[in-house]
Amino acid sequence: VLLDEKQARQTAQRLSLATLGTVGVLLWAKQAGLLPSLQMQLDQLQTKGNFRIHWRIYEAALKAAGERE
């Protein structure tokens, strides 16, 4: 199930449904070679799409994508 809202994700997890958010989808796309830069996509979502992401999630995603050490 594709979900970003915290409460919805918790409900889905209580129902034993696997969840994946926007950041997870973008990370998968980066790892599959479909995106040249995860950071560029996340930055555009934040500036143009009013997408909110905690800085820890942002940094962890970039690290997982090999864009941070």
Side-chain angles (χ1 to χ4, degrees):
V1 179
L2 178 61
L3 298 169
D4 283 321
E5 301 299 325
K6 184 177 181 179
Q7 188 175 8
R9 289 174 72 92
Q10 290 171 340
T11 299
Q13 289 168 349
R14 279 197 304 275
L15 296 171
S16 299
L17 299 173
T19 60
L20 188 64
T22 300
V23 176
V25 171
L26 291 173
L27 178 58
W28 171 85
K30 166 66 177 176
Q31 292 171 335
L34 301 173
L35 293 177
S37 169
L38 177 62
Q39 182 175 359
M40 183 175 67
Q41 296 299 315
L42 292 176
D43 290 349
Q44 285 182 359
L45 275 174
Q46 290 181 86
T47 58
K48 295 180 182 177
N50 200 27
F51 183 77
R52 295 178 298 166
I53 180 174
H54 193 281
W55 68 269
R56 287 185 184 147
I57 294 172
Y58 179 88
E59 290 296 327
L62 294 182
K63 186 175 181 179
E67 296 182 20
R68 287 277 199 277
E69 290 190 26

